[in-house]
Amino acid sequence: MTESFRRSGEYENHENPYQGAQQHASTPVNPEWPPPPAYEPVTPQPVQQQPMQQQPFSQQPIPHTAQQPAVEPTAVWQAQAAAGGHGDGIGGGTALLTAVAPEPAPEKKKRTKGPLALLAAVAIVAAAIGGGTAYGIQELTGKNEVVSSSTTTSVVPSSKTGDVATIAAAVSPSVVEVSATLSNGSSTGSGVIITSGGEIITNNHVISGASSIKVTTSDGKTYTAQVVGTDSKKDLALIKLENASGLKAAALGNSDGVQVGDTVVAIGSPEGLTGTVTSGIVSALDRDVTVSTDESQQQQQQQQGGSGGWPFEFGGQQFNGDTGTSTTTYKALQTDASLNPGNSGGALIDAGGNIIGINSAMYSAASDSSSDAGSVGLGFAIPINTVKSDLATLRAGGSDS
């Protein structure tokens, strides 16, 4: 092996830290390289190593038979001379670079796993679903389904609750005029759109015995309608418009939440005056109203006084004519909102714009003189919860089929 010798007198006080590095035989030794170290060499300690002042360095690969531990680039190194060792250079053993053990890094916080993480994920998903529930229901109700709501849900803005003009503007597009052609005359009443595809709830006595039915919406469009189902015991009927779509369905409320004194609005077509709006309060609940189910009796009364001659019985007395022998009784909401002939089948609406009843009967003071006829504040409506409970039967053809 080729060895490098130092001249006498050179570097007497300093040990060359780079001894042991191999050089080519043809390369002369430069006495000025490497320069003397800027610090005193560290005396090797057999047991305990003392740290030196941290110096920047360039890590060089060191040949060694033993595997060296991985050391961070910023570690502090100490030069040690192996006492009694031997190497490739003269005047000492091979220089060893030993890393001072770095301080242990703080333990990284492990990601939460197991039940805690699962519970957190479930809570987030539940919150997302909870935030998205109402929107999903509203989307479903727009696809030809009955729009149903409680009395706490406002169709009109909360700041406009109870405002008759706002309620009328919001609900009028969902109320229609129903004209039925009978074998011996005609009948005019009202109806409430319950689906965008043209399903309409009205009174059975409005369309009973009709050979044809025409429906006029609030915007003046006219449709032909067919009877889907009737229930004379509840004085209800379901009709369906032909070739209709995109209609505004009314929101069906909860009549069980109605209280005496609540503000109500009535919309219908009295005497053919489409879209007439009146207002009042709920005067009483659960009134036993008896009406005729006899088709011939109904037609006779209509011929005498129009649809306003529809007879009903209350408190053991008959009003607006003879109810006949075939009758049915139901629980009704009583209102002082003005109802006149043609309001039958129309909407009774709460302060939030929800349908709470289908107007079905009213008291008329007299039929002999037109000057004495008209509403005297005694009107009755079929509770909307009765309608909703009967809807499946009506869609199946009704109890009369």
Side-chain angles (χ1 to χ4, degrees):
M1 174 181 293
T2 304
E3 296 182 350
S4 299
F5 298 91
R6 62 183 179 182
R7 298 177 183 178
S8 176
E10 291 181 347
Y11 309 122
E12 294 180 357
N13 298 327
H14 302 283
E15 182 180 358
N16 187 353
Y18 297 94
Q19 288 181 3
Q22 295 181 357
Q23 295 180 352
H24 196 275
S26 62
T27 304
V29 177
N30 186 353
E32 298 299 324
W33 186 91
Y39 52 86
E40 292 294 330
V42 178
T43 303
Q45 298 295 333
V47 178
Q48 183 176 3
Q49 299 177 358
Q50 297 296 329
M52 294 176 58
Q53 182 179 1
Q54 185 170 344
Q55 297 284 345
F57 70 96
S58 298
Q59 186 174 355
Q60 299 290 339
I62 302 173
H64 200 280
T65 58
Q67 183 177 1
Q68 297 296 326
V71 181
E72 296 293 333
T74 56
V76 179
W77 295 81
Q78 291 180 340
Q80 294 182 342
H86 62 277
D88 292 336
I90 298 176
T94 303
L96 300 178
L97 298 179
T98 304
V100 177
E103 295 184 2
E107 184 179 357
K108 294 183 179 180
K109 190 173 181 180
K110 295 182 179 180
R111 180 179 298 176
T112 304
K113 296 182 179 180
L116 291 179
L118 178 60
L119 290 175
V122 171
I124 293 173
V125 172
I129 294 175
T133 301
Y135 176 77
I137 292 175
Q138 290 175 356
E139 285 295 300
L140 290 176
T141 57
K143 297 179 180 179
N144 206 31
E145 295 295 332
V146 176
V147 179
S148 180
S149 67
S150 68
T151 54
T152 59
T153 302
S154 293
V155 175
V156 299
S158 57
S159 61
K160 294 292 187 178
T161 299
D163 183 76
V164 175
T166 303
I167 295 171
V171 184
S172 289
S174 302
V175 181
V176 299
E177 178 182 296
V178 179
S179 300
T181 301
L182 308 174
S183 59
N184 54 359
S186 63
S187 172
T188 302
S190 304
V192 177
I193 300 171
I194 62 171
T195 65
S196 60
E199 284 188 329
I200 294 174
I201 285 289
T202 186
N203 287 141
N204 177 63
H205 73 255
V206 173
I207 56 89
S208 179
S211 58
S212 65
I213 301 172
K214 295 292 185 181
V215 171
T216 304
T217 57
S218 63
D219 58 1
K221 293 183 179 179
T222 301
Y223 297 86
T224 298
Q226 300 295 330
V227 176
V228 176
T230 60
D231 187 346
S232 60
K233 294 180 180 180
K234 294 184 175 68
D235 195 18
L236 292 173
L238 178 67
I239 61 177
K240 178 74 163 57
L241 303 185
E242 296 180 351
N243 303 319
S245 63
L247 302 179
K248 183 176 181 180
L252 307 186
N254 179 13
S255 53
D256 289 343
V258 175
Q259 298 180 357
V260 174
D262 284 352
T263 299
V264 290
V265 174
I267 303 178
S269 301
E271 303 294 353
L273 301 175
T274 303
T276 297
V277 178
T278 58
S279 63
I281 63 169
V282 174
S283 304
L285 305 174
D286 299 326
R287 293 297 199 194
D288 289 325
V289 174
T290 301
V291 297
S292 175
T293 61
D294 191 310
E295 179 180 327
S296 61
Q297 181 75 11
Q298 171 198 345
Q299 292 180 0
Q300 180 181 355
Q301 295 296 333
Q302 288 174 344
Q303 289 175 356
Q304 294 177 355
S307 59
W310 178 250
F312 74 95
E313 180 180 332
F314 176 75
Q317 298 183 18
Q318 295 185 358
F319 302 93
N320 301 341
D322 185 7
T323 57
T325 57
S326 179
T327 61
T328 185
T329 302
Y330 55 82
K331 299 288 186 180
L333 302 174
Q334 182 180 330
T335 179
D336 68 349
S338 179
L339 300 181
N340 290 286
N343 274 112
S344 294
L348 188 67
I349 311 155
D350 68 9
N354 303 291
I355 309 299
I356 57 170
I358 300 297
N359 300 321
S360 59
M362 70 290 301
Y363 170 72
S364 180
S367 59
D368 297 335
S369 173
S370 60
S371 61
D372 295 331
S375 174
V376 293
L378 289 176
F380 302 93
I382 302 169
I384 200 63
N385 284 7
T386 300
V387 177
K388 290 191 288 187
S389 65
D390 201 35
L391 194 54
T393 300
L394 292 172
R395 282 174 169 162
S399 63
D400 297 334
S401 59

